[in-house]
């Protein structure tokens, strides 16, 4: 299995922590040069330091841009006009009751989760098709694209939209060595999870461990994993899809959701 990405340049959006950082680290370990992206210089610098701790020989580039805006995307592509691998990982989420989701909430979710990937794919995929004989684009969607989250419908909507963009873009790659795929993680225990969970537990008068258990007994009972995935477990699939070994996988929506979605298709 050829997982060597030596000589390839990869951009992972939203890669200062969580699944994004784990993906950037994994790609660096596979030999790729990695562009680390976040909104703040300090966060990007910190992430690059962590990446180099696990991969001392890694080649990493800083890209402190807010990709939730058109201006941020334009500044990024001006700085890095071409890449071989694009991982559209940037995303936000916000638990909120449907009747409390205001127009501004819908617009922000759309701009950050959907338009960041649409803008960057429009630019980088065109460059791949016009001037490269190989390329990878991956959208990091969510099981919420399929298993509709009643506690944050606007988030599920944005993640479903990513699946359509990815599949539509993949249609442009026929008879090439360029692929466009989606990866759908389930609940993942990222760095901020303990903080958010502690706040929720305090408000509900319960414990973090109780809330973690209730995630799978009440909110996601169909889970076969029955625990949160680690960022590295999710990144493993993303990195494989970015590799040369995944050459026959194109236009696919690949789940690493722990079995939450019961439909095998």
């Amino acid at each position: 299995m050829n997982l060597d990405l030596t000589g390839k340049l990869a951009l992972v959006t939203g890669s200062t922590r969580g699944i994004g950082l784990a993906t950037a680290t994994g790609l660096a370990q596979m030999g790729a040069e990695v562009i680390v992206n976040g909104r703040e210089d300090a966060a990007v610098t910190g992430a690059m330091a962590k990446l180099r701790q696990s991969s001392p020989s890694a080649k990493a580039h800083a890209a402190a841009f807010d990709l939730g805006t058109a201006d941020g995307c334009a500044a990024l592509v001006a700085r890095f006009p071409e890449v071989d691998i694009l991982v559209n990982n940037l995303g936000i989420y916000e638990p909120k009751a449907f009747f409390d989701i205001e127009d501004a909430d819908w617009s922000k979710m759309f701009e950050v989760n959907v338009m960041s990937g649409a803008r960057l794919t429009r630019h980088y995929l065109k460059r791949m098709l016009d001037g490269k004989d190989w390329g990878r684009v991956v959208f990091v969607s969510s099981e919420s694209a399929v298993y509709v989250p009643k506690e944050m419908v606007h988030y599920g909507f944005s993640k479903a939209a990513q699946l359509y963009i990815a599949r539509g873009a993949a249609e442009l790659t026929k008879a090439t060595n360029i692929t466009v795929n989606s990866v759908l993680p389930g609940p993942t225990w990222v760095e901020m999870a303990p903080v958010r969970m502690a706040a929720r537990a305090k408000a509900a008068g319960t414990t973090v461990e109780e809330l973690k258990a209730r995630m799978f007994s009440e909110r996601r009972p169909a889970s076969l994993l029955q625990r949160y995935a680690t960022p590295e477990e999710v990144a493993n699939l993303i990195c494989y899809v970015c590799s040369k070994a995944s050459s026959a996988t194109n236009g696919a929506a690949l789940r690493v959701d722990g079995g939450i979605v019961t439909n095998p298709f």
Side-chain angles (χ1 to χ4, degrees):
M1 185 181 297
N2 186 359
L3 301 178
D4 182 21
L5 290 175
T6 301
K8 303 300 184 184
L9 177 62
L11 165 62
V12 183
T13 66
S15 48
T16 58
R17 62 189 182 193
I19 293 170
L21 177 56
T23 299
T25 300
L27 294 175
Q29 291 171 343
M30 293 162 68
E33 288 188 46
V34 179
I35 301 168
V36 178
N37 163 251
R39 289 180 299 171
E40 306 294 337
D41 287 319
V44 172
T45 299
M48 292 175 66
K50 292 177 182 178
L51 188 153
R52 288 178 174 133
Q53 284 178 353
S54 59
S55 303
S57 61
K59 295 181 180 178
H61 308 275
F65 300 101
D66 182 359
L67 303 183
T69 68
D71 287 346
C73 289
L76 173 70
V77 300
R79 174 84 176 274
F80 300 100
E82 294 189 14
V83 299
D84 302 293
I85 298 166
L86 168 62
V87 180
N88 289 309
N89 171 73
L90 174 65
I92 58 173
Y93 76 98
E94 177 190 32
K96 203 166 192 179
F98 178 77
F99 294 115
D100 294 330
I101 303 172
E102 300 178 353
D103 286 4
D105 299 320
W106 286 99
S107 296
K108 183 176 181 180
M109 198 68 70
F110 182 74
E111 279 293 316
V112 177
N113 290 5
V114 180
M115 287 309 300
S116 62
R119 290 172 178 131
L120 296 177
T121 301
R122 180 173 60 201
H123 174 86
Y124 287 118
L125 180 59
K126 183 70 164 58
R127 293 296 186 101
M128 292 177 191
L129 292 170
D130 287 349
K132 295 181 180 292
D133 60 3
W134 187 94
R136 297 286 185 265
V137 178
V138 181
F139 282 78
V140 181
S141 181
S142 168
E143 45 88 15
S144 292
V146 182
Y147 188 98
V148 181
K150 62 183 179 181
E151 72 278 8
M152 46 182 179
V153 176
H154 56 334
Y155 174 76
F157 140 82
S158 72
K159 290 299 173 178
Q162 289 180 317
L163 301 185
Y164 277 78
I165 295 170
R167 177 65 205 195
E171 291 293 326
L172 304 173
T173 68
K174 286 184 179 180
T176 72
N177 293 316
I178 299 164
T179 65
V180 185
N181 293 288
S182 299
V183 171
L184 286 67
T188 306
W189 196 252
V190 296
E191 291 91 334
M192 289 302 293
V195 177
R196 296 191 185 106
M197 194 74 78
R200 284 179 52 205
K202 183 177 180 181
T206 185
T207 66
V208 169
E209 290 306 313
E210 174 63 19
L211 282 185
K212 288 175 70 174
R214 284 166 54 187
M215 163 62 82
F216 301 101
S217 64
E218 297 176 7
R219 294 175 61 191
R220 297 293 187 272
S223 170
L224 302 178
L225 190 61
Q226 285 294 297
R227 63 169 175 83
Y228 285 85
T230 67
E232 290 74 21
E233 287 175 317
V234 175
N236 286 341
L237 180 56
I238 298 170
C239 290
Y240 166 75
V241 176
C242 290
S243 76
K244 298 173 185 177
S246 69
S247 53
T249 302
N250 196 8
L254 306 169
R255 300 203 300 262
V256 57
D257 67 339
I260 287 173
V261 180
T262 58
N263 185 336
F265 306 106

